[in-house]
Short mmCIF file of all heavy atoms in Angstrom, two decimals:
data_model
loop_
_atom_site.label_atom_id
_atom_site.label_comp_id
_atom_site.label_asym_id
_atom_site.label_seq_id
_atom_site.Cartn_x
_atom_site.Cartn_y
_atom_site.Cartn_z
N ILE C 775 3.51 -49.54 14.51
CA ILE C 775 2.31 -50.13 15.11
C ILE C 775 1.17 -50.36 14.12
O ILE C 775 0.28 -51.17 14.38
CB ILE C 775 1.80 -49.28 16.29
CG1 ILE C 775 1.23 -47.95 15.82
CG2 ILE C 775 2.89 -49.07 17.32
CD1 ILE C 775 0.55 -47.15 16.93
N ALA C 776 1.17 -49.68 12.98
CA ALA C 776 0.04 -49.80 12.04
C ALA C 776 -0.19 -51.23 11.55
O ALA C 776 -1.34 -51.68 11.51
CB ALA C 776 0.23 -48.85 10.86
N PRO C 777 0.85 -51.98 11.16
CA PRO C 777 0.59 -53.35 10.70
C PRO C 777 -0.03 -54.22 11.77
O PRO C 777 -0.91 -55.05 11.48
CB PRO C 777 1.99 -53.85 10.31
CG PRO C 777 2.77 -52.62 10.01
CD PRO C 777 2.27 -51.60 10.99
N ARG C 778 0.39 -54.05 13.01
CA ARG C 778 -0.18 -54.83 14.11
C ARG C 778 -1.65 -54.45 14.35
O ARG C 778 -2.49 -55.31 14.59
CB ARG C 778 0.62 -54.61 15.39
CG ARG C 778 1.98 -55.31 15.41
CD ARG C 778 2.74 -54.95 16.67
NE ARG C 778 4.01 -55.66 16.76
CZ ARG C 778 4.21 -56.76 17.47
NH1 ARG C 778 3.22 -57.28 18.17
NH2 ARG C 778 5.39 -57.34 17.52
N ILE C 779 -1.93 -53.15 14.28
CA ILE C 779 -3.31 -52.69 14.45
C ILE C 779 -4.19 -53.30 13.38
O ILE C 779 -5.28 -53.84 13.66
CB ILE C 779 -3.38 -51.15 14.40
CG1 ILE C 779 -2.65 -50.54 15.60
CG2 ILE C 779 -4.84 -50.69 14.37
CD1 ILE C 779 -2.53 -49.03 15.51
N ALA C 780 -3.73 -53.25 12.11
CA ALA C 780 -4.51 -53.78 11.01
C ALA C 780 -4.74 -55.28 11.18
O ALA C 780 -5.85 -55.78 10.96
CB ALA C 780 -3.80 -53.50 9.69
N ALA C 781 -3.71 -56.01 11.58
CA ALA C 781 -3.83 -57.45 11.75
C ALA C 781 -4.83 -57.80 12.85
O ALA C 781 -5.67 -58.70 12.71
CB ALA C 781 -2.46 -58.06 12.05
N LYS C 782 -4.75 -57.07 13.96
CA LYS C 782 -5.65 -57.35 15.10
C LYS C 782 -7.11 -57.02 14.77
O LYS C 782 -8.03 -57.65 15.29
CB LYS C 782 -5.20 -56.55 16.33
CG LYS C 782 -3.86 -57.01 16.92
CD LYS C 782 -3.43 -56.08 18.04
CE LYS C 782 -2.04 -56.42 18.57
NZ LYS C 782 -2.04 -57.68 19.33
N LEU C 783 -7.32 -56.04 13.89
CA LEU C 783 -8.68 -55.63 13.53
C LEU C 783 -9.19 -56.33 12.27
O LEU C 783 -10.33 -56.13 11.87
CB LEU C 783 -8.74 -54.11 13.33
CG LEU C 783 -8.54 -53.23 14.56
CD1 LEU C 783 -8.50 -51.77 14.16
CD2 LEU C 783 -9.65 -53.47 15.58
N GLY C 784 -8.32 -57.14 11.64
CA GLY C 784 -8.71 -57.77 10.38
C GLY C 784 -8.92 -56.75 9.28
O GLY C 784 -9.78 -56.91 8.41
N ALA C 785 -8.12 -55.69 9.32
CA ALA C 785 -8.30 -54.57 8.39
C ALA C 785 -7.30 -54.62 7.25
O ALA C 785 -6.16 -55.07 7.42
CB ALA C 785 -8.15 -53.25 9.14
N GLY C 786 -7.72 -54.14 6.09
CA GLY C 786 -6.79 -53.91 5.01
C GLY C 786 -5.96 -52.68 5.34
O GLY C 786 -6.45 -51.77 6.02
N LEU C 787 -4.71 -52.64 4.89
CA LEU C 787 -3.81 -51.54 5.23
C LEU C 787 -3.23 -50.91 3.98
O LEU C 787 -2.64 -51.59 3.15
CB LEU C 787 -2.68 -52.05 6.13
CG LEU C 787 -1.57 -51.04 6.47
CD1 LEU C 787 -2.13 -49.88 7.29
CD2 LEU C 787 -0.43 -51.72 7.20
N ALA C 788 -3.38 -49.60 3.85
CA ALA C 788 -2.72 -48.82 2.81
C ALA C 788 -1.66 -47.97 3.49
O ALA C 788 -1.98 -47.19 4.38
CB ALA C 788 -3.72 -47.94 2.07
N SER C 789 -0.42 -48.13 3.09
CA SER C 789 0.67 -47.43 3.77
C SER C 789 1.19 -46.26 2.96
O SER C 789 1.12 -46.25 1.73
CB SER C 789 1.83 -48.40 4.04
OG SER C 789 2.33 -48.94 2.83
N ASP C 790 1.70 -45.26 3.68
CA ASP C 790 2.34 -44.10 3.06
C ASP C 790 1.42 -43.42 2.04
O ASP C 790 1.83 -43.11 0.92
CB ASP C 790 3.65 -44.52 2.40
CG ASP C 790 4.71 -43.43 2.46
OD1 ASP C 790 4.60 -42.55 3.33
OD2 ASP C 790 5.63 -43.44 1.62
N VAL C 791 0.20 -43.16 2.45
CA VAL C 791 -0.80 -42.56 1.56
C VAL C 791 -0.47 -41.10 1.29
O VAL C 791 -0.13 -40.34 2.21
CB VAL C 791 -2.20 -42.71 2.18
CG1 VAL C 791 -3.22 -41.83 1.47
CG2 VAL C 791 -2.63 -44.16 2.16
N LEU C 792 -0.61 -40.71 0.02
CA LEU C 792 -0.31 -39.33 -0.39
C LEU C 792 -1.57 -38.48 -0.52
O LEU C 792 -1.49 -37.25 -0.41
CB LEU C 792 0.43 -39.33 -1.74
CG LEU C 792 1.71 -40.16 -1.82
CD1 LEU C 792 2.26 -40.11 -3.24
CD2 LEU C 792 2.74 -39.67 -0.82
N ALA C 793 -2.70 -39.13 -0.78
CA ALA C 793 -3.95 -38.38 -0.97
C ALA C 793 -5.13 -39.32 -0.81
O ALA C 793 -5.00 -40.53 -1.02
CB ALA C 793 -3.98 -37.72 -2.35
N ILE C 794 -6.26 -38.74 -0.43
CA ILE C 794 -7.51 -39.49 -0.35
C ILE C 794 -8.16 -39.39 -1.72
O ILE C 794 -8.54 -38.29 -2.16
CB ILE C 794 -8.44 -38.94 0.73
CG1 ILE C 794 -7.70 -38.80 2.07
CG2 ILE C 794 -9.68 -39.82 0.87
CD1 ILE C 794 -7.11 -40.08 2.60
N ALA C 795 -8.29 -40.51 -2.42
CA ALA C 795 -8.78 -40.50 -3.80
C ALA C 795 -10.30 -40.64 -3.88
O ALA C 795 -10.89 -40.38 -4.93
CB ALA C 795 -8.12 -41.62 -4.60
N GLY C 796 -10.93 -41.07 -2.80
CA GLY C 796 -12.37 -41.26 -2.79
C GLY C 796 -12.76 -42.15 -1.63
O GLY C 796 -11.91 -42.47 -0.77
N ALA C 797 -14.00 -42.57 -1.59
CA ALA C 797 -14.44 -43.46 -0.52
C ALA C 797 -13.69 -44.78 -0.61
O ALA C 797 -13.76 -45.47 -1.64
CB ALA C 797 -15.94 -43.68 -0.62
N ASN C 798 -12.94 -45.10 0.44
CA ASN C 798 -12.16 -46.34 0.52
C ASN C 798 -11.02 -46.40 -0.49
O ASN C 798 -10.43 -47.47 -0.69
CB ASN C 798 -13.05 -47.58 0.33
CG ASN C 798 -14.24 -47.59 1.27
OD1 ASN C 798 -14.15 -47.12 2.40
ND2 ASN C 798 -15.36 -48.13 0.80
N GLN C 799 -10.70 -45.29 -1.11
CA GLN C 799 -9.65 -45.27 -2.13
C GLN C 799 -8.54 -44.30 -1.73
O GLN C 799 -8.81 -43.19 -1.25
CB GLN C 799 -10.23 -44.86 -3.49
CG GLN C 799 -11.25 -45.87 -4.02
CD GLN C 799 -11.83 -45.43 -5.35
OE1 GLN C 799 -11.85 -44.24 -5.68
NE2 GLN C 799 -12.33 -46.38 -6.12
N PHE C 800 -7.31 -44.74 -1.95
CA PHE C 800 -6.15 -43.97 -1.51
C PHE C 800 -5.08 -43.95 -2.58
O PHE C 800 -4.88 -44.94 -3.29
CB PHE C 800 -5.57 -44.58 -0.22
CG PHE C 800 -6.60 -44.80 0.86
CD1 PHE C 800 -7.26 -46.02 0.96
CD2 PHE C 800 -6.92 -43.80 1.76
CE1 PHE C 800 -8.21 -46.23 1.94
CE2 PHE C 800 -7.87 -44.00 2.74
CZ PHE C 800 -8.52 -45.23 2.83
#
Side-chain angles (χ1 to χ4, degrees):
I775 70 173
R778 286 176 176 261
I779 294 172
K782 292 174 186 289
L783 292 175
L787 174 65
S789 60
D790 213 22
V791 167
L792 305 177
I794 309 301
N798 307 327
Q799 296 178 336
F800 309 92

